[in-house]
């Protein structure tokens, strides 16, 4: 199937006993699903970014646990337990920054612990049901977030986004792009400016594709053009997703987000962060404590078969950066909008249902 014939983006789906995931490394040139049957294979898919985006990674990890339980349920009691422990470990080691991965694994672990007295096959089926519920819940949460966030966007708003926080980064609808989708569904005329998002090009390849599919007007820019457009009054709001929010409201997101936030502040443009409450990590005091993934040098020295940098050059490739809470106009969550997030506000939000 070509990527222009896709009717509905199902980032992950359960199909005939397997997990299938859209291969996000090759979009938009190729639209294909890859099939997964074990925790190790899912962990590799997360590491290699077949699936990416914090909530989608969490969903994939939940299915990774369920797949392993289904695969191992003929094993003897202690072998089953050991192999399941191995599955949790391999999935937890796949990517470090998005807390949704650890949130989903924690939830699967809790469910597994509650099943200890049951036969392995029953455990496996209950774990699969839990993974399905995590996926369904993610879509519900994104829709709720979309409704809260849509109210912040004026009719006609030109909204800049960085990376991809869309349906492809979640189980569906998206976080930042979910807010945009909900605003469009509410009848607002919204146009999107997509930063290309070097080096993996999530903006150019994924955000632009999602918006084109839905006929939401989208303009692609390279990352270094954002300041110019803002200085000319061509951006009304910025909305991004996040991989982890610290207890004080500092936000980890795709590398380059901090730059956009500083520019937005300079030009008095609201900077919104859309995230499910599962992305808020109250155990980390501030952004300095959030682990930042460093990826391979090849992502910076070239793209696919094309190498543009000299062999031997030193390279840095941090995949995320930290935007201090003071630059965040508001966090948009499924429980409501938190203006100028800080420890007090996030503590109150955690207590709210
Ligand atoms: O490296 P990626 O593509 O997994 O990074 C994704 C992002 O930074 C997203 O903005 C974030 O996960 C939020 S997705 C709803």
């Amino acid at each position: 199937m070509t990527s222009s014939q896709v009717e509905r983006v199902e980032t992950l789906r359960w199909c005939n006993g397997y997990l299938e995931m859209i291969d996000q490394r090759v979009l938009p040139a190729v639209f294909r699903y890859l099939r997964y049957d074990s925790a190790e294979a899912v962990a590799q898919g997360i590491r290699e970014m077949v699936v990416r985006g914090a909530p989608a990674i969490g969903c994939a990890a939940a299915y990774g646990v369920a797949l392993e339980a289904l695969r191992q349920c003929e094993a003897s009691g202690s072998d089953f337990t050991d192999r399941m422990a191995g599955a949790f470990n391999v999935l937890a080691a796949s990517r470090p920054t998005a807390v949704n991965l650890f949130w989903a694994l924690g939830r699967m672990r809790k469910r597994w612990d509650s099943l200890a007295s049951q036969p392995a096959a029953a455990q496996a089926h209950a774990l699969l049901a839990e993974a399905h519920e995590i996926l369904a819940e993610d879509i519900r949460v994104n829709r709720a977030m979309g409704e809260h966030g849509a109210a912040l966007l004026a009719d006609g708003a030109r909204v800049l986004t960085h990376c991809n926080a869309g349906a492809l980064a979640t189980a569906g609808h998206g976080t930042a792009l979910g807010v945009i989708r909900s605003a469009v569904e509410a009848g607002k005329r919204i146009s999107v400016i997509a930063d290309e998002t070097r080096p993996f090009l999530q903006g150019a390849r994924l955000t632009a594709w999602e918006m084109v599919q839905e006929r939401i007007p989208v303009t692609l820019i390279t990352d270094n053009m954002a300041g110019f457009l803002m200085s000319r009054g061509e951006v009304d709001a910025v909305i991004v997703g996040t991989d982890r929010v610290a207890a004080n409201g500092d936000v980890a997101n795709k590398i380059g987000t901090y730059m956009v936030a500083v520019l937005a502040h300079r030009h008095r443009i609201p900077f919104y962060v859309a995230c499910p409450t599962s992305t808020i990590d109250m155990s980390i005091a501030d952004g300095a404590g959030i682990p930042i993934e460093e990826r391979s040098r090849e992502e910076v020295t070239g793209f696919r078969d094309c190498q543009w940098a000299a062999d031997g050059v030193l390279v840095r490739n941090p995949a995320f950066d930290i935007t201090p809470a003071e630059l965040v106009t508001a966090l948009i969550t499924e429980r409501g909008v938190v203006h100028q997030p800080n420890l007090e506000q996030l503590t109150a939000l955690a207590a709210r249902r």
Side-chain angles (χ1 to χ4, degrees), residues 24 46 49 51-57 95 97-98 100 138 142 145 161-170 174-177 197 200-202 205-206 240-244 252-255 257 273-276 279 293 295 299 319-321:
Q24 300 194 31
I46 295 173
M49 292 173 60
V51 66
R52 30 70 47 202
I57 293 173
R95 289 190 80 188
T97 304
N100 307 59
D138 187 54
N142 292 340
M145 216 183 306
T161 189
H162 190 76
C163 193
N164 172 267
L168 288 165
T170 62
T175 59
L177 295 190
T197 318
F200 199 69
L201 305 181
Q202 290 94 329
R205 296 188 306 101
L206 308 177
V240 297
T242 169
D243 290 81
R244 195 184 300 227
N253 192 46
K254 180 53 51 194
I255 192 75
T257 301
V273 177
C275 72
T279 307
E293 177 183 14
R295 294 188 62 87
E299 287 184 355
F320 301 94
D321 60 25

Side-chain angles (χ1 to χ4, degrees), residues 46-226:
I46 295 173
R47 225 175 2 255
E48 294 176 354
M49 292 173 60
V50 169
V51 66
R52 30 70 47 202
I57 293 173
C59 292
Y63 278 108
V65 170
L67 280 168
E68 199 59 33
L70 288 165
R71 234 164 74 91
Q72 304 294 349
C73 64
E74 301 293 312
S76 74
S78 64
D79 281 356
F80 178 72
T81 306
D82 289 352
R83 288 173 196 168
M84 287 303 291
F88 279 101
N89 290 341
V90 76
L91 287 160
S94 57
R95 289 190 80 188
T97 304
V99 75
N100 307 59
L101 173 77
F102 306 99
W103 172 86
L105 288 175
R107 186 161 150 179
M108 293 300 281
R109 167 78 72 166
K110 202 167 156 200
R111 184 74 185 106
W112 186 44
D113 288 346
S114 77
L115 299 163
S117 59
Q118 299 194 24
Q123 295 187 29
H125 286 102
L127 288 172
L128 179 60
E130 188 73 7
H132 289 328
E133 178 49 28
I134 287 175
L135 182 130
E137 203 176 285
D138 187 54
I139 299 174
R140 288 198 298 272
V141 159
N142 292 340
R143 288 237 157 236
M145 216 183 306
E147 275 179 30
H148 293 304
L152 299 170
L153 298 181
D155 185 27
R158 297 155 300 176
V159 182
L160 184 139
T161 189
H162 190 76
C163 193
N164 172 267
L168 288 165
T170 62
H173 199 63
T175 59
L177 295 190
V179 169
I180 289 166
R181 284 192 167 99
S182 294
V184 170
E185 282 169 15
K188 292 181 181 174
R189 288 158 302 169
I190 305 291
S191 56
V192 175
I193 299 160
D195 278 357
E196 73 171 343
T197 318
R198 280 274 292 140
F200 199 69
L201 305 181
Q202 290 94 329
R205 296 188 306 101
L206 308 177
T207 294
W209 178 75
E210 278 195 39
M211 295 294 94
V212 166
Q213 292 300 300
E214 291 187 32
R215 299 194 167 78
I216 296 174
V218 57
T219 303
L220 176 64
I221 60 170
T222 60
D223 299 338
N224 48 3
M225 296 174 186

Side-chain angles (χ1 to χ4, degrees), residues 15-36:
C15 197
N16 299 327
Y18 297 96
L19 172 66
E20 294 190 336
M21 302 197 287
I22 296 174
D23 186 352
Q24 300 194 31
R25 300 166 306 177
V26 295
L27 269 175
V30 177
F31 183 85
R32 71 178 179 208
Y33 278 93
L34 298 181
R35 188 168 258 209
Y36 293 84

